[in-house]
């Protein structure tokens, strides 16, 4: 089932959504997680006055060099909300991204830029930190696999050190397109298909530099896995995450973090959690999910254990290893903060 078909179901589910009891801290904020990766939840951290600063779907978050937490929502009254780590609103901007979905921050020679994907406008934008659009990437008709803009529904970007741009077409034809820093198409590969080298839901993408050779980690959400590719598109590894419809991979130091939209598949609204993998890509902790169990080296199916989320969509990890979780189709809730304990 396509994600846009869940909105009505998700709204109904949210009406009955509740915070399950967890291990309570002295300030009555529950603690979740496993194996030393445990966090105290604050579900009021990002809450603002919805009349002045509304959100719709809270899609993705990043932290900039100033320590600010930047949220992208597809609410065009304010597509970007900028917080400090205490949850205070510092700034806001953006009215032109009705399908604001993917948010990537890149530092180019000391200057930071944002890359925003828009699933409604079928475009990818490079912007300044205050929202001035510097470059727009449209449907790559030159590939020959796209006939019209509507077939290109980009969900995520990642940027190499030389400025090369990789785009995941996670809601469209499922291709990965590779551009130079100026937006010239260099390569494309993947596409929808049943083979391991193909995708069904290439929702997220990141360059993984935890190994000696950089590679691309790409989500195949409906297939409960991340797939590792070389930068020129050769399949290297499949990281299976049974029971977890993962969103984009987020790397901080040696760990890999991801929001799990639903479990075990996209036919079960309201069953999300977040997952954390170590440097060996072994799941070590789930927030709101079952404790990870391996039998004979094989990860057993994971699922939601505590109903603290509806549909988590992204995880941002700050300098102090605290987490911020944004949610899709979850009653227009603001991001939650999870403080490492």
């Amino acid at each position: 089932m396509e994600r846009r078909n869940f909105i009505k179901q998700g709204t109904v589910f949210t009406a009955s959504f509740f915070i399950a009891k967890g291990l309570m801290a002295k300030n009555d904020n529950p603690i979740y997680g496993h194996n030393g990766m445990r966090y105290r939840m604050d579900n009021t951290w990002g809450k603002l006055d919805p009349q002045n600063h509304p959100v719709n779907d809270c899609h993705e978050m990043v932290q900039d060099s100033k320590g600010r937490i930047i949220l992208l929502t597809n609410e065009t009254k304010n597509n970007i909300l900028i917080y400090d780590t205490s949850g205070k609103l510092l700034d806001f901007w953006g009215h032109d991204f009705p399908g604001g979905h993917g948010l990537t921050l890149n530092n180019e020679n000391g200057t930071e830029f944002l890359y925003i994907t828009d699933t409604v406008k079928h475009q990818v934008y490079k912007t300044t930190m205050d929202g001035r659009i510097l470059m727009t990437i449209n449907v790559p008709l030159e590939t020959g696999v796209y006939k019209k803009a509507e077939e290109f529904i980009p969900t995520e970007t990642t940027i190499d050190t030389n400025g090369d741009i990789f785009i995941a077409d996670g809601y469209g034809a499922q291709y990965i397109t590779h551009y130079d820093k100026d937006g010239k198409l260099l390569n494309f590969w993947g596409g929808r298909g049943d083979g391991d080298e193909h995708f069904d839901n290439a929702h997220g993408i990141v360059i993984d530099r935890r190994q000696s050779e950089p590679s691309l980690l790409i989500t195949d959400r409906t297939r409960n896995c991340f797939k590792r590719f070389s930068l020129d598109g050769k399949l290297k590894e499949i990281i299976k995450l049974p029971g977890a419809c993962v969103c984009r991979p987020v790397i901080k130091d040696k760990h890999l973090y991801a929001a799990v939209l639903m479990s075990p598949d996209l036919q079960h609204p309201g069953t999300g959690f977040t997952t954390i993998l170590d440097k060996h890509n072994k799941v070590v902790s789930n927030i709101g999910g079952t404790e990870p169990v391996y039998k004979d080296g094989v990860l057993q199916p994971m699922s939601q254990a505590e109903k603290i989320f509806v549909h988590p969509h992204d995880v941002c990890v700050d300098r102090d290893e605290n987490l911020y979780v944004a949610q899709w189709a979850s009653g227009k809730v603001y991001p939650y903060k999870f403080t490492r304990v």
Side-chain angles (χ1 to χ4, degrees):
M1 184 187 297
E2 293 293 333
R3 117 180 199 157
R4 55 183 170 267
N5 293 333
F6 291 132
I7 294 177
K8 185 174 181 180
Q9 290 176 269
T11 302
V12 172
F13 188 93
T14 304
S16 62
F17 176 67
F18 65 96
I19 302 297
K21 292 181 179 180
L23 177 62
M24 304 303 289
K26 291 183 179 180
N27 64 355
D28 291 334
N29 286 348
I31 295 175
Y32 298 99
H34 309 97
N35 301 314
M37 303 290 287
R38 300 172 67 240
Y39 304 83
R40 179 178 292 117
M41 183 178 76
D42 180 357
N43 64 356
T44 65
W45 173 83
K47 190 174 182 180
L48 302 171
D49 180 352
Q51 296 302 313
N52 295 321
H53 300 292
V55 295
N56 188 28
D57 300 309
C58 291
H59 273 136
E60 293 192 345
M61 307 178 77
V62 295
Q63 185 178 37
D64 69 7
S65 61
K66 298 178 181 179
R68 305 180 304 171
I69 305 298
I70 303 171
L71 167 71
L72 174 68
T73 172
N74 52 5
E75 167 55 66
T76 55
K77 187 172 182 177
N78 43 213
N79 283 126
I80 294 288
L81 297 175
I82 303 177
Y83 296 89
D84 68 13
T85 54
S86 73
K88 177 184 177 181
L89 183 68
L90 300 176
D91 200 359
F92 59 93
W93 54 262
H95 311 287
D96 300 319
F97 309 115
H101 184 279
L103 181 68
T104 301
L105 183 144
N106 190 52
N107 188 312
E108 298 179 19
N109 300 316
T111 301
E112 291 182 311
F113 300 94
L114 296 173
Y115 289 77
I116 296 172
T117 69
D118 192 305
T119 59
V120 171
K121 297 172 76 172
H122 311 282
Q123 293 173 315
V124 177
Y125 309 92
K126 177 183 179 180
T127 79
T128 60
M129 296 302 289
D130 59 0
R132 183 165 58 92
I133 295 176
L134 303 176
M135 179 171 62
T136 301
I137 297 177
N138 296 298
V139 53
L141 296 174
E142 60 267 45
T143 62
V145 299
Y146 295 94
K147 305 303 180 186
K148 55 184 179 180
E150 289 75 14
E151 296 173 342
F152 181 58
I153 313 177
T155 51
E156 194 62 72
T157 64
T158 192
I159 317 301
D160 202 353
T161 53
N162 65 354
D164 279 11
I165 305 162
F166 296 85
I167 299 174
D169 182 19
Y171 292 156
Q174 306 298 318
Y175 282 90
I176 308 302
T177 44
H178 177 191
Y179 302 81
D180 70 11
K181 62 182 179 61
D182 299 314
K184 178 184 177 181
L185 183 68
L186 300 176
N187 194 15
F188 67 97
W189 40 271
R192 190 180 301 279
D194 295 328
D196 288 343
E197 72 278 15
H198 297 292
F199 302 99
D200 186 60
N201 189 188
H203 186 270
I205 185 171
V206 71
I207 296 178
D208 187 354
R209 300 187 183 279
R210 295 176 298 165
Q211 301 176 346
S212 59
E213 183 177 340
S215 58
L216 291 166
L217 276 184
I218 303 171
T219 308
D220 202 343
R221 188 165 65 180
T222 55
R223 292 172 177 161
N224 293 178
C225 69
F226 292 125
K227 294 179 176 180
R228 185 185 306 281
F229 288 81
S230 63
L231 296 184
D232 61 354
K234 304 298 189 298
L235 181 66
K236 299 294 186 181
E237 179 187 9
I238 297 177
I239 302 169
K240 296 181 179 180
L241 298 166
C245 293
V246 283
C247 297
R248 75 157 161 180
V250 176
I251 295 172
K252 175 67 173 178
D253 298 327
K254 296 298 184 180
H255 285 89
L256 171 62
Y257 303 77
V260 176
L261 189 74
M262 299 182 197
S263 178
D265 54 40
L266 295 186
Q267 305 297 323
H268 292 80
T271 55
F273 58 96
T274 65
T275 190
I276 305 171
L277 289 71
D278 66 13
K279 63 182 180 180
H280 304 295
N281 295 318
K282 180 179 180 181
V283 178
V284 293
S285 183
N286 288 318
I287 301 173
T290 52
E291 183 171 2
V293 174
Y294 283 80
K295 292 182 179 180
D296 299 323
V298 177
L299 179 63
Q300 301 303 294
M302 302 179 291
S303 64
Q304 185 185 76
E306 296 154 306
K307 204 166 289 296
I308 61 174
F309 300 116
V310 181
H311 301 123
H313 191 272
D314 191 37
V315 180
C316 174
V317 189
D318 73 14
R319 298 169 180 171
D320 299 316
E321 298 185 359
N322 304 311
L323 310 183
Y324 306 80
V325 178
Q327 297 191 70
W328 166 81
S330 301
K332 300 185 178 183
V333 296
Y334 292 86
Y336 297 171
K337 182 175 182 176
F338 291 81
T339 301
R340 181 85 181 267
V341 298

